[in-house]
Structure formats: C-alpha cells, structure tokens
Amino acid sequence: MNTITLTQPDDWHAHLRDGKALERTVPDLASQFHRAICMPNLVPPVKTVEEALAYRARIMAHVPEGVAFDPRMVLYLTDHTSPDEIQKIKHSEHVNAVKLYPAGATTNSANGVSDIRNVYAVLEQLEKYQIPLLLHGEVTHSHIDIFDREKRFLDEVLQPVIQQFSDLKIVLEHITTADAAQFVLAQGRKVAATITPQHLLFNRNDMLVGGIKPHFYCLPILKRQSHQTTLLEVATSGNPKFFLGTDSAPHAQDAKENACGCAGCYSAFTAIELYAQAFDQVGKIERLEGFSSHFGADFYGLPRNTQQITLVKEDFVIPESFDYLEDQKIIPLLAGKTLQWRKM
Ligand code: NCD
Ligand code: ZN
C-alpha cells in the first residue's frame, strides 16, 4: 500500500505551553490534527473553567488563516479543586476533562495532587457527570525506582480508585509498560489509554546505549524492549481502548541538552508520520485510522471528524530544528532522520 487516506486525526494529549511558545506549537499541531487535548500544566496551571477558556482564546489567536483547529481544554486538579468546578465543565462547550498529576511526577506538576484521597469528592462529581479523568500514572516516592513507578501507580492508586468509582471514565495517559496495557485490557469500557509515538518507536536502549540522548528523555521514561513490543501490539490491535496522544512536549534545546535536562519529546509537526512508521513496521498500517482518528473521539463522546488526510509512502526527512521563543531552537523527535511516510 503506497497511499492511505484517513479520517483527520485528533491528538488526545498535547502540550502547547503559553505566550510566545504558541507561535511555534499551535501551527505545528494544527497542521496535523483537528482537535487536541491541551494539557493544563502551565505556570501557573489552568485550574478553572474560566482560566481554561482564556487559555483557549490565546491558543486560537495563533491558528493560521484557513486552518480548522479545535483546542479541547482540561483543568489541572489540585488538592484544593472545588467539586463545584466540575459542574461548570459539564456546561462548558470547550472543556472536556480534568488532569491529575501526582505532585512532583513531571514537568510543572508541583501543584498537583499530594494524595488522591484528597480529591475523592471531585472524582464523585466526575463520575456523576461522566467527565473523563486523565491520569499521569506514576507514583512519586523517592525510594521507588523510576522504571517501576507506573506499575506501582496501577496497584497502589488506580486499582482502589476504580473499586470506589466503578463508573468513572479514566484515560491512563502515555502508557509505557506491558503492565499498564494489561491493566487497561482487564477493565471495563470506561478505562482507556493513550500511547505516544516515542513509546511505540523506541525503548530505553535508544536513549542510553552509545551515550545519553536527551531528546529521547520523557516521562514516563522509555522502558525495556519487551514493553515497547506489547505497546505496539495493543496500539495496532484495533481495540478502541487505545488511542493516539502524542504527549508532544516542547522544551528549548538548551533546557534539554543540559546537565539536568528536562523531560519531554517534541513531535507535534511530524506526529502522524511517526505513528505511520510505527504501525507500518509491524505490518499494521491499516489499523492506524481507528487508533488515530476514531477511538479517541468515541471515548470522549465527540463526533468523529469529517475531513480526511492522505499519507504517501515516500521518504520524509524530519527537520534538524525549529525556531522557538526569542532566539532559541527546539529539536524535534528524530531530528534529521528519514521516515518512510509523508502527509500530503
Ligand atoms: C511533559 C511536559 O514537558 O510538560 N513532559 C513529559 O516528559 N512528558 C509533562 C508530562 O506529560 O509528563
Ligand atoms: Zn504530557
């Protein structure tokens, strides 16, 4: 198959940042996706519907002429989020979910939730109104090995939550382990997961063998190859519980190539090509459309997109860098490397 036409995809997990960063991130993401779940981990975070709508307006101001882009907004859950705020989501046209970051788990998560039991009253409201809870699924205790943090979250945090709130809609974001894939498979249809291109294409050897490659460093961290294999299996299985979420997370080159480099891979501009590469590598390109364009919308209860895109099997060289902020660069995932698929 040398061309493939897909319903236009959506990105159910993206970081656009704010201010001048939007000049880069919004056109890049809008060139690929119709809708995107815009993560709320700004500084300070997006905590109320009012703040989310103001952020959405700042994003919309950077959408190029003639491009139809529909940012879907998310509130950042803190220990102090009021259950009343959840009702406001129900009545909002543009806010679709709430994100839980365990405090300290990742970039800009200091204001996150210190103990999930502190927000059980909020979870009750989410369950009542069927608003998805998006999870950064890692525990944060310093004595727990970074490679075990996702699995520990499933056992210690998520299992009890599901027991208590059996009808709550949950998206386990950017899953990285076979444990998470199996956990999601074992739950009812209210529990789903997003998967990033980097966790389908790479494993920790790509990041650590032959020198540390900071542009592969993201959270949750890349795991061993057997986990990558399972993620590829579930992503390409046609099971609607697994759908596209790039976790494209821009950081300036200096902040990544640093003695204390920050976590996040930038894939917004080339995301669908990266996913096509991953699916084609295991001979499952025909399964891409469900994963990229149908299952996420279905889970969120939004209509599927009506526009289409076409991918052609042709060499496509990822740019070495992009301009970012005043005088900085951003290095995209797989900068300078050649992919086999290109969006027309
Ligand atoms: C994200 C970021 O930079 O905002 N980084 C990352 O490594 N994925 C935060 C997140 O989603 O964990
Ligand atoms: Zn993220």
Side-chain angles (χ1 to χ4, degrees):
M1 212 185 319
N2 286 325
T3 66
I4 169 170
T5 297
L6 311 172
T7 303
Q8 189 174 15
D10 299 307
D11 185 351
W12 301 99
H13 184 132
H15 300 268
L16 290 162
R17 314 298 187 210
D18 206 353
K20 267 199 117 24
L22 298 175
E23 291 173 12
R24 168 88 268 147
T25 59
V26 176
D28 282 359
L29 200 65
S31 74
Q32 293 244 330
F33 297 105
H34 176 52
R35 291 171 292 208
I37 282 279
C38 304
M39 284 291 150
N41 62 333
L42 307 182
V43 188
V46 179
K47 292 187 296 222
T48 63
V49 167
E50 198 183 339
E51 287 165 2
L53 296 181
Y55 180 36
R56 187 174 189 276
R58 298 196 294 279
I59 293 170
M60 288 306 288
H62 291 87
V63 177
E65 260 320 285
V67 174
F69 183 59
D70 180 12
R72 311 306 313 176
M73 310 312 290
V74 181
L75 304 192
Y76 182 114
L77 198 54
T78 75
D79 285 340
H80 312 290
T81 302
S82 154
D84 296 343
E85 200 62 35
I86 306 308
Q87 252 189 52
K88 293 190 198 155
I89 298 181
K90 197 63 206 169
H91 301 296
S92 159
E93 216 183 304
H94 300 298
V95 183
N96 285 93
V98 167
K99 175 76 185 267
L100 185 149
Y101 291 98
T106 186
T107 309
N108 302 340
S109 63
N111 296 298
V113 172
S114 61
D115 183 327
I116 195 155
R117 286 166 295 195
N118 294 342
V119 296
Y120 269 22
V122 172
L123 302 192
E124 228 166 71
Q125 296 298 303
L126 292 174
E127 184 179 42
K128 176 172 164 195
Y129 293 110
Q130 290 294 292
I131 295 165
L133 172 69
L134 315 185
L135 294 173
H136 184 109
E138 290 191 287
V139 295
T140 55
H141 322 292
S142 57
H143 63 280
I144 298 183
D145 191 278
I146 187 170
F147 292 101
D148 298 335
R149 288 179 176 203
E150 186 172 270
K151 161 114 180 69
R152 294 287 288 264
F153 183 89
L154 304 172
D155 300 339
E156 292 164 23
V157 182
L158 189 50
Q159 191 70 67
V161 165
I162 291 174
Q163 244 147 38
Q164 178 109 6
F165 303 99
S166 57
D167 208 31
L168 179 61
K169 280 179 115 170
I170 293 174
V171 185
L172 194 53
E173 298 290 330
H174 42 49
I175 60 168
T176 64
T177 57
D179 309 278
Q182 278 142 17
F183 183 95
V184 170
L185 284 170
Q187 310 306 315
R189 55 191 182 82
K190 296 284 166 85
V191 180
T194 55
I195 309 182
T196 75
Q198 61 267 27
H199 293 101
L200 293 176
L201 287 166
F202 310 113
N203 60 66
R204 63 196 192 183
N205 275 15
D206 296 294
M207 177 176 59
L208 296 172
V209 173
I212 292 181
K213 324 257 186 352
H215 297 291
F216 286 123
Y217 175 59
C218 67
L219 289 171
I221 199 160
L222 293 174
K223 306 297 192 299
R224 62 168 65 240
Q225 188 185 22
S226 56
H227 293 296
Q228 181 195 356
T229 304
T230 302
L231 295 175
L232 268 168
E233 274 166 22
V234 296
T236 62
S237 68
N239 187 323
K241 282 171 160 280
F242 301 95
F243 49 83
L244 185 157
T246 62
D247 196 17
S248 178
H251 293 279
Q253 180 176 15
D254 291 356
K256 294 284 298 171
E257 299 173 11
N258 189 294
C260 185
C262 40
C265 301
Y266 190 65
S267 60
F269 185 69
T270 52
I272 199 65
E273 287 91 344
L274 291 162
Y275 282 110
Q277 178 95 7
F279 275 61
D280 199 20
Q281 269 172 17
V282 291
K284 295 279 175 61
I285 193 77
E286 76 283 359
R287 291 272 166 82
L288 182 60
E289 185 178 32
F291 175 86
S292 67
S293 317
H294 296 162
F295 303 154
D298 296 351
F299 184 85
Y300 274 83
L302 294 168
R304 292 180 182 180
N305 291 328
T306 49
Q307 315 90 307
Q308 294 187 316
I309 63 162
T310 297
L311 302 176
V312 51
K313 195 158 191 177
E314 223 173 72
D315 280 3
F316 167 56
V317 181
I318 298 185
E320 293 281 357
S321 68
F322 298 112
D323 292 334
Y324 189 53
L325 303 175
E326 297 295 336
D327 52 356
Q328 307 201 54
K329 296 276 180 207
I330 194 162
I331 309 296
L333 187 64
L334 276 186
K337 297 287 191 306
T338 304
L339 297 177
Q340 265 90 60
W341 287 88
R342 186 174 66 76
K343 182 160 101 62
M344 284 168 77

